[in-house]
Amino acid sequence: MKLLDITQGNALWKAWRADKLTGSVAPVIMDDSPYQSRFDYLTEVVTGAKEEASDDLQALFQRGHEAEAAARPLVESQL
């Protein structure tokens, strides 16, 4: 595992994730994601064409980022 000190959501973070397999795609690869099928993900990988997230999906991402940010200090204090 590689740990990086990159702020989630910024340009560097997006560029780094562009050609990596991250934990976020694990459910998609296992075809267990309610948000994207394995076929659609593999199509993105092969063609390089990626759909923009809808406003609803982007709002879901934002809530997840906020929840992670709120939980991070709690987890770090326990480590």
Side-chain angles (χ1 to χ4, degrees):
M1 178 169 43
K2 185 182 272 189
L3 298 176
L4 302 171
D5 188 18
I6 301 174
T7 302
Q8 186 175 29
N10 71 16
L12 179 59
W13 177 82
K14 289 176 183 177
W16 189 86
R17 288 174 55 92
D19 64 347
K20 306 286 188 284
L21 287 175
T22 64
S24 299
V25 298
V28 178
I29 292 169
M30 294 184 297
D31 210 19
D32 193 35
S33 171
Y35 307 109
Q36 186 178 32
S37 71
R38 182 186 316 165
F39 178 82
D40 288 345
Y41 174 72
L42 291 173
T43 300
E44 279 183 11
V45 170
V46 170
T47 66
K50 183 172 176 137
E51 259 186 58
E52 288 295 319
S54 67
D55 290 342
D56 290 340
L57 186 55
Q58 192 59 49
L60 182 64
F61 291 155
Q62 185 59 37
R63 286 195 304 273
H65 297 326
E66 291 166 1
E68 284 181 28
R72 192 170 294 116
L74 300 171
V75 172
E76 287 174 350
S77 72
Q78 294 177 9
L79 297 176

